[in-house]
């Protein structure tokens, strides 16, 4: 089968022919219809310091997808041939303290699809049945593939209620853009989006942003105060992984407000804990992965009900063999979500 493989300990990847992965009794063989590119895949392509420490080539990459079950192991009971599935990318163990205590998203032993286990940028994929998600029939493939990152946005937005609240979204990458649509659907009264990338700010308007701010040219904290009658913002959602943006959020947040952090920072961050956290009595949530599977239920309903239409965010489609074009667009920030037809 053809697949995009990280073959060497250097920058780049290869589109090559590899053997079909082997199945165990609880595994499922899936024919991938559509996959989508995540920032993680670009890190692996570029062979960043993180990737060098995290991944051992050769590895088929990718963790977002939708596909059809083609064969099941002899002990599989939850899916059958022909089911259209996506999957939780955190391949959890099911027995550690976190898995058995309602926090499977931070399973001690989880393996990451496309990093520790051969991934979705391939014609065929093998996964254990317990991570599979059966898709609603009315969700098209182009949307079904983005449910995994959409779930990150769901948990970041809904760490607390946002209805009739004012919300500042930092970073309008694909996940910040999903969050904009989710905040809108959940009845946020004011949505402000900050990103230095004007292409992405334009998409955020389509997703429901009332005000967009370019932090390179405008003062985020001042504009946010002006828009909230000098109260400051109720909710900050951090999707940039940028220390400066984080401080914009902490300056803009109203005392007693909350901030949810999904963005991943390259190095340790510098914030004024006394002034911006303790004396403001704000609540901080670290968000990682998705709640398994309660977030998948919410994601599926946001999409299948039409509450959130992610079409403006899905800006480009390529064939799998042209994956490098997608990676380049992502590095340049001239895209929303890029999907790959297998
Ligand atoms: P992305 O890199 O596409 O988007 C980040 C956006 O932040 C970009 O549009 C960029 O222009 C913007 N940005 C940069 N500097 C900024 C600033 N000073 N102010 C405002 N915006 C700024 O990433 P994504 O795929 O949308 O993911 C969002 C973040 O979440 C990333 O940091 C990613 O690594 C992280 N992430 C975390 C998890 C998790 O489980 N915690 C999962 C997926 C992604
Ligand atoms: Zn576990």
């Amino acid at each position: 089968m053809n697949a995009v493989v990280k073959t060497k300990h250097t920058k780049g990847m290869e589109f090559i022919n590899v053997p079909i992965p082997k199945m165990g009794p609880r595994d499922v063989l899936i024919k991938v219809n559509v996959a989508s590119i995540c920032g993680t895949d670009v890190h692996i392509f570029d062979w960043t310091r993180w990737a060098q420490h995290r991944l051992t080539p050769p590895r088929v990459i990718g963790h977002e997808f939708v596909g059809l079950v083609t064969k099941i192991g002899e002990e599989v009971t939850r899916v059958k041939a022909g089911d259209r599935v996506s999957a939780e990318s955190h391949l959890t163990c099911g027995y550690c303290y976190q898995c058995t205590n309602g926090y499977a998203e931070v399973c001690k032993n989880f393996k990451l699809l496309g990093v520790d286990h051969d991934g979705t940028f391939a014609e065929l994929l093998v996964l254990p049945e317990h991570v599979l998600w059966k898709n609603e029939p009315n969700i098209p493939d182009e949307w079904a593939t983005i449910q995994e990152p959409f779930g990150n946005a769901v948990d970041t937005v809904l760490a607390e209620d946002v209805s009739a609240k004012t919300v500042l979204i930092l970073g309008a990458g694909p996940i910040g853009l999903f969050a904009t649509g989710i905040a809108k659907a959940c009845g946020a009264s004011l949505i402000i989006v900050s990103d230095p990338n004007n292409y992405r700010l334009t998409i955020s308007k389509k997703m429901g942003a009332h005000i967009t701010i370019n932090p390179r040219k405008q003062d985020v904290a001042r504009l946010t105060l002006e828009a909230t009658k000098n109260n400051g913002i109720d909710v900050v959602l951090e999707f940039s992984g940028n220390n400066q943006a984080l401080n914009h959020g902490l300056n803009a947040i109203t005392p007693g407000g909350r901030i949810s952090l999904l963005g991943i920072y390259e190095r340790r961050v510098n914030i004024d804990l006394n002034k911006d956290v303790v004396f403001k009595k704000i609540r901080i949530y670290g968000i990682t992965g998705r709640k398994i599977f309660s977030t998948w239920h919410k994601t599926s309903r946001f999409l299948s009900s039409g509450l959130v239409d992610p079409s403006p965010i899905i800006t480009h489609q390529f064939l799998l063999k042209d994956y490098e074009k997608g990676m380049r667009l992502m590095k340049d920030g001239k895209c929303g979500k890029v999907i790959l037809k297998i």
Side-chain angles (χ1 to χ4, degrees):
M1 65 169 190
N2 288 319
V4 176
V5 187
K6 183 79 193 177
T7 47
K8 298 192 190 92
H9 292 257
T10 53
K11 196 176 151 109
M13 287 170 183
E14 290 178 88
F15 181 70
I16 53 172
N17 202 270
V18 295
I20 294 172
K22 290 196 177 67
M23 293 175 64
R26 292 184 184 169
D27 289 337
V28 173
L29 181 70
I30 300 154
K31 183 177 164 292
V32 183
N33 293 349
V34 175
S36 35
I37 307 180
C38 166
T40 305
D41 307 318
V42 181
H43 279 287
I44 297 171
F45 184 94
D46 283 344
W47 205 230
T48 58
R49 220 153 34 112
W50 170 84
Q52 290 175 32
H53 285 105
R54 193 61 184 74
L55 182 144
T56 311
R59 176 67 69 216
V60 177
I61 68 136
H63 57 267
E64 303 173 9
F65 80 103
V66 56
L68 294 178
V69 171
T70 59
K71 196 173 157 197
I72 60 171
E74 55 266 31
E75 289 173 25
V76 168
T77 56
R78 287 164 52 172
V79 294
K80 58 180 189 318
D83 284 349
R84 196 173 63 110
V85 295
S86 295
E88 171 53 51
S89 61
H90 290 197
L91 312 183
T92 52
C93 77
Y95 55 77
C96 73
Y97 182 67
Q98 280 68 25
C99 278
T100 54
N101 203 24
Y103 289 96
E105 66 274 28
V106 281
C107 164
K108 271 201 187 95
N109 309 308
F110 86 93
K111 292 192 164 55
L112 199 53
L113 183 56
V115 173
D116 307 307
H117 179 106
D118 278 335
T120 63
F121 288 11
E123 288 175 85
L124 293 160
L125 162 74
V126 166
L127 281 173
E129 71 164 330
H130 77 276
V131 299
L132 297 181
W133 175 258
K134 276 199 239 179
N135 287 305
E136 280 299 316
N138 76 336
I139 299 180
D141 279 355
E142 291 74 11
W143 298 13
T145 184
I146 54 94
Q147 290 174 104
E148 195 257 15
F150 192 100
N152 294 132
V154 168
D155 281 356
T156 312
V157 176
L158 295 180
E160 286 182 12
D161 179 28
V162 291
S163 64
K165 294 208 166 137
T166 59
V167 178
L168 171 62
I169 292 176
L170 302 164
I175 305 182
L177 291 169
F178 294 139
T180 308
I182 294 161
K184 174 83 176 170
C186 293
S189 60
L190 173 70
I191 302 172
I192 305 176
V193 178
S194 171
D195 195 303
N197 180 329
N198 287 326
Y199 177 95
R200 289 179 163 180
L201 287 180
T202 305
I203 303 175
S204 79
K205 283 266 184 190
K206 294 184 189 156
M207 296 309 296
H210 301 99
I211 298 173
T212 58
I213 300 177
N214 185 326
R216 295 231 173 97
K217 299 181 185 143
Q218 294 166 290
D219 183 334
V220 181
R222 188 176 60 76
L223 290 173
T224 306
L225 273 175
E226 275 174 23
T228 54
K229 299 180 185 158
N230 278 333
N231 282 327
I233 205 95
D234 296 324
V235 179
V236 175
L237 307 174
E238 210 308 283
F239 297 102
S240 73
N242 180 288
N243 195 161
Q244 195 188 24
L246 174 62
N247 281 317
H248 289 155
L250 291 171
N251 289 331
I253 199 167
T254 196
R258 72 113 163 168
I259 180 166
S260 290
L261 308 174
L262 185 90
I264 295 171
Y265 302 86
E266 253 174 59
R267 43 190 88 79
R268 284 175 184 235
V269 295
N270 186 6
I271 60 172
D272 190 337
L273 266 176
N274 292 348
K275 172 170 103 35
D276 288 334
V277 177
V278 179
F279 293 133
K280 276 189 161 180
K281 201 168 186 279
I282 65 167
R283 296 173 305 292
I284 303 180
Y285 294 85
I287 310 289
T288 195
R290 294 141 298 280
K291 294 199 193 87
I292 308 165
F293 279 88
S294 59
T295 300
W296 283 83
H297 285 287
K298 290 182 199 166
T299 294
S300 179
R301 289 175 200 153
F302 274 122
L303 296 172
S304 67
S305 65
L307 270 172
V308 179
D309 175 356
S311 316
I313 303 168
I314 303 166
T315 53
H316 295 80
Q317 303 191 6
F318 296 104
L319 294 174
L320 182 62
K321 69 176 175 54
D322 295 325
Y323 69 98
E324 272 198 68
K325 289 184 188 164
M327 300 251 176
R328 217 169 301 131
L329 277 171
M330 288 185 59
K331 276 192 266 189
D332 295 343
K334 295 208 176 78
C335 60
K337 194 77 193 167
V338 179
I339 67 175
L340 301 169
K341 301 252 167 158
I342 311 298

